[in-house]
Amino acid sequence: MNTGEEASAADLIAAMHDASGRDLTELGRRVADRLDREKSLRDNRIDELRNRARRLDRAVADLTAATSGTELLRRACTALADICAAERVVASFVESETAVPVATYGTHAGSEAPPAYALLPGSPESAVLVPGSAPVIGRSAGALRHLFPDGCTITAAGVGETTVVLIHISGTLAAAQHDSATLLVEVLGGCLQRLGLATRRARQLDLLRSSGIARENRDPAPAGIEPVPAAPPGMEPLTEREREVLRLILRGSSNTAIATELVITVDTVKSHVKRILRKLGATNRSELIARHSAAGLTRRSIAPPSR
């Protein structure tokens, strides 16, 4: 029987049955050393798992506390970078055949979001757009390749059967990192859906309040959701969704930021903006913001109707 250094504690103990004298003493010493090393490895493994669980718990808590889509993606990038020990993470909003980066995390300079890029057929990005697809490891799209010169892991988060966000994580993930990242991306999809539901609920409550059905102290709007501004008297009424988009325009949000926060496509936002400008008689966003600011329709001046 091999009783060298590579022998397990069980092998050494078995060898002790046939040993005596100095050989028995030496085998006993080696058994004790082997058991100490195995215990140290187990303790280190347990500590590693505990630390990983704590980081994952913090990440999930951060994501569920986000009150807008943009904030959610920023937090997701930071959390994935921490869990995966990644130098860079980029989250992009999927718009038809285009991906629009809206949040990024980087340990080096130049961590601003890159420009939009096309989702070309056969690219790794297109491969993960199919619901249920596994993450892809390889070279990113040309527009992002300079950010991931050594390759990356590409995955996606969706709402239902629709892929909403593409995520690039630098490097290749270890098995444990892959599992944690997969769970966090699933949480991200759930948070995107929750934000969409919260936004729709706030719109419904605002409609009820405007009709005098709901009481402010009986059914308040969800935390972080502001009342939606209404069109000035005499102007063509806006739909609930248009009023929602108008509120974000008045805050200075871009089309991409609005799409991310409301969990809709950029093309849909553009259509809403065109209708809002037409209905309110404004030629561009700047005029719209100036006009509503002067009329006292900014977010700070809007108060819920009194009973």
Side-chain angles (χ1 to χ4, degrees), residues 175-194:
Q177 294 172 336
H178 175 276
D179 292 342
S180 296
T182 299
L183 176 59
L184 200 59
V185 169
E186 290 180 1
V187 173
L188 172 60
C191 289
L192 286 168
Q193 184 175 30
R194 176 183 59 82

mmCIF file with all atom_site columns, all heavy atoms in Angstrom, residues 175-194:
data_model
loop_
_atom_site.group_PDB
_atom_site.id
_atom_site.type_symbol
_atom_site.label_atom_id
_atom_site.label_alt_id
_atom_site.label_comp_id
_atom_site.label_asym_id
_atom_site.label_entity_id
_atom_site.label_seq_id
_atom_site.pdbx_PDB_ins_code
_atom_site.Cartn_x
_atom_site.Cartn_y
_atom_site.Cartn_z
_atom_site.occupancy
_atom_site.B_iso_or_equiv
_atom_site.pdbx_formal_charge
_atom_site.auth_seq_id
_atom_site.auth_comp_id
_atom_site.auth_asym_id
_atom_site.auth_atom_id
_atom_site.pdbx_PDB_model_num
ATOM 1   N N   . ALA A 1 175 ? -17.196 27.779 -11.894 1.00 0.00 ? 175 ALA A N   1
ATOM 2   C CA  . ALA A 1 175 ? -18.506 27.133 -11.720 1.00 0.00 ? 175 ALA A CA  1
ATOM 3   C C   . ALA A 1 175 ? -19.348 27.842 -10.666 1.00 0.00 ? 175 ALA A C   1
ATOM 4   O O   . ALA A 1 175 ? -20.535 28.114 -10.883 1.00 0.00 ? 175 ALA A O   1
ATOM 5   C CB  . ALA A 1 175 ? -18.302 25.664 -11.343 1.00 0.00 ? 175 ALA A CB  1
ATOM 6   N N   . ALA A 1 176 ? -18.734 28.166 -9.528  1.00 0.00 ? 176 ALA A N   1
ATOM 7   C CA  . ALA A 1 176 ? -19.489 28.824 -8.459  1.00 0.00 ? 176 ALA A CA  1
ATOM 8   C C   . ALA A 1 176 ? -19.923 30.223 -8.876  1.00 0.00 ? 176 ALA A C   1
ATOM 9   O O   . ALA A 1 176 ? -21.046 30.662 -8.574  1.00 0.00 ? 176 ALA A O   1
ATOM 10  C CB  . ALA A 1 176 ? -18.634 28.889 -7.189  1.00 0.00 ? 176 ALA A CB  1
ATOM 11  N N   . GLN A 1 177 ? -19.043 30.947 -9.572  1.00 0.00 ? 177 GLN A N   1
ATOM 12  C CA  . GLN A 1 177 ? -19.392 32.283 -10.053 1.00 0.00 ? 177 GLN A CA  1
ATOM 13  C C   . GLN A 1 177 ? -20.520 32.210 -11.072 1.00 0.00 ? 177 GLN A C   1
ATOM 14  O O   . GLN A 1 177 ? -21.433 33.046 -11.059 1.00 0.00 ? 177 GLN A O   1
ATOM 15  C CB  . GLN A 1 177 ? -18.171 32.948 -10.665 1.00 0.00 ? 177 GLN A CB  1
ATOM 16  C CG  . GLN A 1 177 ? -17.058 33.262 -9.671  1.00 0.00 ? 177 GLN A CG  1
ATOM 17  C CD  . GLN A 1 177 ? -15.791 33.733 -10.358 1.00 0.00 ? 177 GLN A CD  1
ATOM 18  O OE1 . GLN A 1 177 ? -15.552 33.433 -11.524 1.00 0.00 ? 177 GLN A OE1 1
ATOM 19  N NE2 . GLN A 1 177 ? -14.975 34.481 -9.638  1.00 0.00 ? 177 GLN A NE2 1
ATOM 20  N N   . HIS A 1 178 ? -20.454 31.201 -11.937 1.00 0.00 ? 178 HIS A N   1
ATOM 21  C CA  . HIS A 1 178 ? -21.505 31.020 -12.939 1.00 0.00 ? 178 HIS A CA  1
ATOM 22  C C   . HIS A 1 178 ? -22.859 30.809 -12.273 1.00 0.00 ? 178 HIS A C   1
ATOM 23  O O   . HIS A 1 178 ? -23.865 31.424 -12.663 1.00 0.00 ? 178 HIS A O   1
ATOM 24  C CB  . HIS A 1 178 ? -21.162 29.823 -13.828 1.00 0.00 ? 178 HIS A CB  1
ATOM 25  C CG  . HIS A 1 178 ? -22.221 29.476 -14.825 1.00 0.00 ? 178 HIS A CG  1
ATOM 26  N ND1 . HIS A 1 178 ? -23.299 28.677 -14.494 1.00 0.00 ? 178 HIS A ND1 1
ATOM 27  C CD2 . HIS A 1 178 ? -22.378 29.816 -16.125 1.00 0.00 ? 178 HIS A CD2 1
ATOM 28  C CE1 . HIS A 1 178 ? -24.073 28.547 -15.550 1.00 0.00 ? 178 HIS A CE1 1
ATOM 29  N NE2 . HIS A 1 178 ? -23.543 29.216 -16.550 1.00 0.00 ? 178 HIS A NE2 1
ATOM 30  N N   . ASP A 1 179 ? -22.899 29.966 -11.246 1.00 0.00 ? 179 ASP A N   1
ATOM 31  C CA  . ASP A 1 179 ? -24.165 29.686 -10.556 1.00 0.00 ? 179 ASP A CA  1
ATOM 32  C C   . ASP A 1 179 ? -24.710 30.937 -9.879  1.00 0.00 ? 179 ASP A C   1
ATOM 33  O O   . ASP A 1 179 ? -25.911 31.223 -9.957  1.00 0.00 ? 179 ASP A O   1
ATOM 34  C CB  . ASP A 1 179 ? -23.958 28.576 -9.525  1.00 0.00 ? 179 ASP A CB  1
ATOM 35  C CG  . ASP A 1 179 ? -23.656 27.231 -10.169 1.00 0.00 ? 179 ASP A CG  1
ATOM 36  O OD1 . ASP A 1 179 ? -23.935 27.074 -11.373 1.00 0.00 ? 179 ASP A OD1 1
ATOM 37  O OD2 . ASP A 1 179 ? -23.131 26.341 -9.469  1.00 0.00 ? 179 ASP A OD2 1
ATOM 38  N N   . SER A 1 180 ? -23.828 31.687 -9.202  1.00 0.00 ? 180 SER A N   1
ATOM 39  C CA  . SER A 1 180 ? -24.270 32.904 -8.519  1.00 0.00 ? 180 SER A CA  1
ATOM 40  C C   . SER A 1 180 ? -24.752 33.942 -9.514  1.00 0.00 ? 180 SER A C   1
ATOM 41  O O   . SER A 1 180 ? -25.766 34.615 -9.292  1.00 0.00 ? 180 SER A O   1
ATOM 42  C CB  . SER A 1 180 ? -23.132 33.470 -7.669  1.00 0.00 ? 180 SER A CB  1
ATOM 43  O OG  . SER A 1 180 ? -22.760 32.579 -6.639  1.00 0.00 ? 180 SER A OG  1
ATOM 44  N N   . ALA A 1 181 ? -24.014 34.095 -10.634 1.00 0.00 ? 181 ALA A N   1
ATOM 45  C CA  . ALA A 1 181 ? -24.404 35.072 -11.646 1.00 0.00 ? 181 ALA A CA  1
ATOM 46  C C   . ALA A 1 181 ? -25.741 34.702 -12.268 1.00 0.00 ? 181 ALA A C   1
ATOM 47  O O   . ALA A 1 181 ? -26.587 35.573 -12.519 1.00 0.00 ? 181 ALA A O   1
ATOM 48  C CB  . ALA A 1 181 ? -23.323 35.172 -12.716 1.00 0.00 ? 181 ALA A CB  1
ATOM 49  N N   . THR A 1 182 ? -25.959 33.415 -12.530 1.00 0.00 ? 182 THR A N   1
ATOM 50  C CA  . THR A 1 182 ? -27.225 32.964 -13.113 1.00 0.00 ? 182 THR A CA  1
ATOM 51  C C   . THR A 1 182 ? -28.394 33.303 -12.198 1.00 0.00 ? 182 THR A C   1
ATOM 52  O O   . THR A 1 182 ? -29.442 33.792 -12.650 1.00 0.00 ? 182 THR A O   1
ATOM 53  C CB  . THR A 1 182 ? -27.185 31.452 -13.381 1.00 0.00 ? 182 THR A CB  1
ATOM 54  O OG1 . THR A 1 182 ? -26.139 31.161 -14.315 1.00 0.00 ? 182 THR A OG1 1
ATOM 55  C CG2 . THR A 1 182 ? -28.513 30.967 -13.943 1.00 0.00 ? 182 THR A CG2 1
ATOM 56  N N   . LEU A 1 183 ? -28.219 33.070 -10.909 1.00 0.00 ? 183 LEU A N   1
ATOM 57  C CA  . LEU A 1 183 ? -29.270 33.395 -9.945  1.00 0.00 ? 183 LEU A CA  1
ATOM 58  C C   . LEU A 1 183 ? -29.530 34.898 -9.910  1.00 0.00 ? 183 LEU A C   1
ATOM 59  O O   . LEU A 1 183 ? -30.688 35.343 -9.900  1.00 0.00 ? 183 LEU A O   1
ATOM 60  C CB  . LEU A 1 183 ? -28.877 32.891 -8.555  1.00 0.00 ? 183 LEU A CB  1
ATOM 61  C CG  . LEU A 1 183 ? -29.830 33.247 -7.410  1.00 0.00 ? 183 LEU A CG  1
ATOM 62  C CD1 . LEU A 1 183 ? -31.229 32.686 -7.677  1.00 0.00 ? 183 LEU A CD1 1
ATOM 63  C CD2 . LEU A 1 183 ? -29.309 32.709 -6.084  1.00 0.00 ? 183 LEU A CD2 1
ATOM 64  N N   . LEU A 1 184 ? -28.464 35.682 -9.926  1.00 0.00 ? 184 LEU A N   1
ATOM 65  C CA  . LEU A 1 184 ? -28.622 37.136 -9.850  1.00 0.00 ? 184 LEU A CA  1
ATOM 66  C C   . LEU A 1 184 ? -29.305 37.684 -11.104 1.00 0.00 ? 184 LEU A C   1
ATOM 67  O O   . LEU A 1 184 ? -30.120 38.605 -11.020 1.00 0.00 ? 184 LEU A O   1
ATOM 68  C CB  . LEU A 1 184 ? -27.253 37.793 -9.664  1.00 0.00 ? 184 LEU A CB  1
ATOM 69  C CG  . LEU A 1 184 ? -27.275 39.221 -9.101  1.00 0.00 ? 184 LEU A CG  1
ATOM 70  C CD1 . LEU A 1 184 ? -27.965 39.239 -7.748  1.00 0.00 ? 184 LEU A CD1 1
ATOM 71  C CD2 . LEU A 1 184 ? -25.868 39.763 -8.980  1.00 0.00 ? 184 LEU A CD2 1
ATOM 72  N N   . VAL A 1 185 ? -29.000 37.109 -12.257 1.00 0.00 ? 185 VAL A N   1
ATOM 73  C CA  . VAL A 1 185 ? -29.654 37.541 -13.491 1.00 0.00 ? 185 VAL A CA  1
ATOM 74  C C   . VAL A 1 185 ? -31.147 37.199 -13.452 1.00 0.00 ? 185 VAL A C   1
ATOM 75  O O   . VAL A 1 185 ? -31.987 37.969 -13.945 1.00 0.00 ? 185 VAL A O   1
ATOM 76  C CB  . VAL A 1 185 ? -28.964 36.903 -14.719 1.00 0.00 ? 185 VAL A CB  1
ATOM 77  C CG1 . VAL A 1 185 ? -29.785 37.115 -15.980 1.00 0.00 ? 185 VAL A CG1 1
ATOM 78  C CG2 . VAL A 1 185 ? -27.569 37.490 -14.902 1.00 0.00 ? 185 VAL A CG2 1
ATOM 79  N N   . GLU A 1 186 ? -31.502 36.068 -12.867 1.00 0.00 ? 186 GLU A N   1
ATOM 80  C CA  . GLU A 1 186 ? -32.919 35.731 -12.711 1.00 0.00 ? 186 GLU A CA  1
ATOM 81  C C   . GLU A 1 186 ? -33.614 36.737 -11.795 1.00 0.00 ? 186 GLU A C   1
ATOM 82  O O   . GLU A 1 186 ? -34.749 37.153 -12.054 1.00 0.00 ? 186 GLU A O   1
ATOM 83  C CB  . GLU A 1 186 ? -33.055 34.317 -12.143 1.00 0.00 ? 186 GLU A CB  1
ATOM 84  C CG  . GLU A 1 186 ? -32.650 33.217 -13.121 1.00 0.00 ? 186 GLU A CG  1
ATOM 85  C CD  . GLU A 1 186 ? -32.789 31.834 -12.520 1.00 0.00 ? 186 GLU A CD  1
ATOM 86  O OE1 . GLU A 1 186 ? -33.210 31.749 -11.346 1.00 0.00 ? 186 GLU A OE1 1
ATOM 87  O OE2 . GLU A 1 186 ? -32.492 30.851 -13.217 1.00 0.00 ? 186 GLU A OE2 1
ATOM 88  N N   . VAL A 1 187 ? -32.935 37.137 -10.721 1.00 0.00 ? 187 VAL A N   1
ATOM 89  C CA  . VAL A 1 187 ? -33.487 38.157 -9.827  1.00 0.00 ? 187 VAL A CA  1
ATOM 90  C C   . VAL A 1 187 ? -33.664 39.472 -10.583 1.00 0.00 ? 187 VAL A C   1
ATOM 91  O O   . VAL A 1 187 ? -34.670 40.176 -10.410 1.00 0.00 ? 187 VAL A O   1
ATOM 92  C CB  . VAL A 1 187 ? -32.572 38.354 -8.606  1.00 0.00 ? 187 VAL A CB  1
ATOM 93  C CG1 . VAL A 1 187 ? -33.047 39.535 -7.753  1.00 0.00 ? 187 VAL A CG1 1
ATOM 94  C CG2 . VAL A 1 187 ? -32.540 37.084 -7.758  1.00 0.00 ? 187 VAL A CG2 1
ATOM 95  N N   . LEU A 1 188 ? -32.686 39.811 -11.436 1.00 0.00 ? 188 LEU A N   1
ATOM 96  C CA  . LEU A 1 188 ? -32.775 41.028 -12.235 1.00 0.00 ? 188 LEU A CA  1
ATOM 97  C C   . LEU A 1 188 ? -34.022 41.016 -13.106 1.00 0.00 ? 188 LEU A C   1
ATOM 98  O O   . LEU A 1 188 ? -34.755 42.017 -13.182 1.00 0.00 ? 188 LEU A O   1
ATOM 99  C CB  . LEU A 1 188 ? -31.515 41.168 -13.095 1.00 0.00 ? 188 LEU A CB  1
ATOM 100 C CG  . LEU A 1 188 ? -31.509 42.287 -14.136 1.00 0.00 ? 188 LEU A CG  1
ATOM 101 C CD1 . LEU A 1 188 ? -31.684 43.646 -13.477 1.00 0.00 ? 188 LEU A CD1 1
ATOM 102 C CD2 . LEU A 1 188 ? -30.214 42.246 -14.950 1.00 0.00 ? 188 LEU A CD2 1
ATOM 103 N N   . GLY A 1 189 ? -34.294 39.887 -13.757 1.00 0.00 ? 189 GLY A N   1
ATOM 104 C CA  . GLY A 1 189 ? -35.495 39.787 -14.578 1.00 0.00 ? 189 GLY A CA  1
ATOM 105 C C   . GLY A 1 189 ? -36.761 39.980 -13.753 1.00 0.00 ? 189 GLY A C   1
ATOM 106 O O   . GLY A 1 189 ? -37.691 40.673 -14.175 1.00 0.00 ? 189 GLY A O   1
ATOM 107 N N   . GLY A 1 190 ? -36.782 39.383 -12.558 1.00 0.00 ? 190 GLY A N   1
ATOM 108 C CA  . GLY A 1 190 ? -37.935 39.561 -11.686 1.00 0.00 ? 190 GLY A CA  1
ATOM 109 C C   . GLY A 1 190 ? -38.109 41.000 -11.248 1.00 0.00 ? 190 GLY A C   1
ATOM 110 O O   . GLY A 1 190 ? -39.236 41.502 -11.154 1.00 0.00 ? 190 GLY A O   1
ATOM 111 N N   . CYS A 1 191 ? -37.000 41.698 -10.975 1.00 0.00 ? 191 CYS A N   1
ATOM 112 C CA  . CYS A 1 191 ? -37.074 43.105 -10.569 1.00 0.00 ? 191 CYS A CA  1
ATOM 113 C C   . CYS A 1 191 ? -37.560 43.987 -11.714 1.00 0.00 ? 191 CYS A C   1
ATOM 114 O O   . CYS A 1 191 ? -38.329 44.930 -11.497 1.00 0.00 ? 191 CYS A O   1
ATOM 115 C CB  . CYS A 1 191 ? -35.711 43.579 -10.085 1.00 0.00 ? 191 CYS A CB  1
ATOM 116 S SG  . CYS A 1 191 ? -35.201 42.875 -8.503  1.00 0.00 ? 191 CYS A SG  1
ATOM 117 N N   . LEU A 1 192 ? -37.129 43.690 -12.946 1.00 0.00 ? 192 LEU A N   1
ATOM 118 C CA  . LEU A 1 192 ? -37.614 44.442 -14.099 1.00 0.00 ? 192 LEU A CA  1
ATOM 119 C C   . LEU A 1 192 ? -39.122 44.277 -14.251 1.00 0.00 ? 192 LEU A C   1
ATOM 120 O O   . LEU A 1 192 ? -39.847 45.241 -14.516 1.00 0.00 ? 192 LEU A O   1
ATOM 121 C CB  . LEU A 1 192 ? -36.900 43.962 -15.363 1.00 0.00 ? 192 LEU A CB  1
ATOM 122 C CG  . LEU A 1 192 ? -35.443 44.404 -15.534 1.00 0.00 ? 192 LEU A CG  1
ATOM 123 C CD1 . LEU A 1 192 ? -34.785 43.625 -16.664 1.00 0.00 ? 192 LEU A CD1 1
ATOM 124 C CD2 . LEU A 1 192 ? -35.352 45.898 -15.798 1.00 0.00 ? 192 LEU A CD2 1
ATOM 125 N N   . GLN A 1 193 ? -39.594 43.057 -14.050 1.00 0.00 ? 193 GLN A N   1
ATOM 126 C CA  . GLN A 1 193 ? -41.036 42.811 -14.130 1.00 0.00 ? 193 GLN A CA  1
ATOM 127 C C   . GLN A 1 193 ? -41.762 43.537 -13.009 1.00 0.00 ? 193 GLN A C   1
ATOM 128 O O   . GLN A 1 193 ? -42.822 44.139 -13.229 1.00 0.00 ? 193 GLN A O   1
ATOM 129 C CB  . GLN A 1 193 ? -41.316 41.316 -14.073 1.00 0.00 ? 193 GLN A CB  1
ATOM 130 C CG  . GLN A 1 193 ? -42.787 40.967 -14.249 1.00 0.00 ? 193 GLN A CG  1
ATOM 131 C CD  . GLN A 1 193 ? -43.001 39.460 -14.296 1.00 0.00 ? 193 GLN A CD  1
ATOM 132 O OE1 . GLN A 1 193 ? -42.258 38.705 -13.700 1.00 0.00 ? 193 GLN A OE1 1
ATOM 133 N NE2 . GLN A 1 193 ? -44.020 39.026 -15.012 1.00 0.00 ? 193 GLN A NE2 1
ATOM 134 N N   . ARG A 1 194 ? -41.192 43.505 -11.801 1.00 0.00 ? 194 ARG A N   1
ATOM 135 C CA  . ARG A 1 194 ? -41.832 44.188 -10.669 1.00 0.00 ? 194 ARG A CA  1
ATOM 136 C C   . ARG A 1 194 ? -41.946 45.678 -10.912 1.00 0.00 ? 194 ARG A C   1
ATOM 137 O O   . ARG A 1 194 ? -42.975 46.291 -10.623 1.00 0.00 ? 194 ARG A O   1
ATOM 138 C CB  . ARG A 1 194 ? -41.027 43.923 -9.392  1.00 0.00 ? 194 ARG A CB  1
ATOM 139 C CG  . ARG A 1 194 ? -41.565 44.664 -8.166  1.00 0.00 ? 194 ARG A CG  1
ATOM 140 C CD  . ARG A 1 194 ? -40.691 44.421 -6.952  1.00 0.00 ? 194 ARG A CD  1
ATOM 141 N NE  . ARG A 1 194 ? -39.326 44.839 -7.175  1.00 0.00 ? 194 ARG A NE  1
ATOM 142 C CZ  . ARG A 1 194 ? -38.905 46.104 -7.055  1.00 0.00 ? 194 ARG A CZ  1
ATOM 143 N NH1 . ARG A 1 194 ? -39.764 47.056 -6.734  1.00 0.00 ? 194 ARG A NH1 1
ATOM 144 N NH2 . ARG A 1 194 ? -37.638 46.413 -7.254  1.00 0.00 ? 194 ARG A NH2 1
#
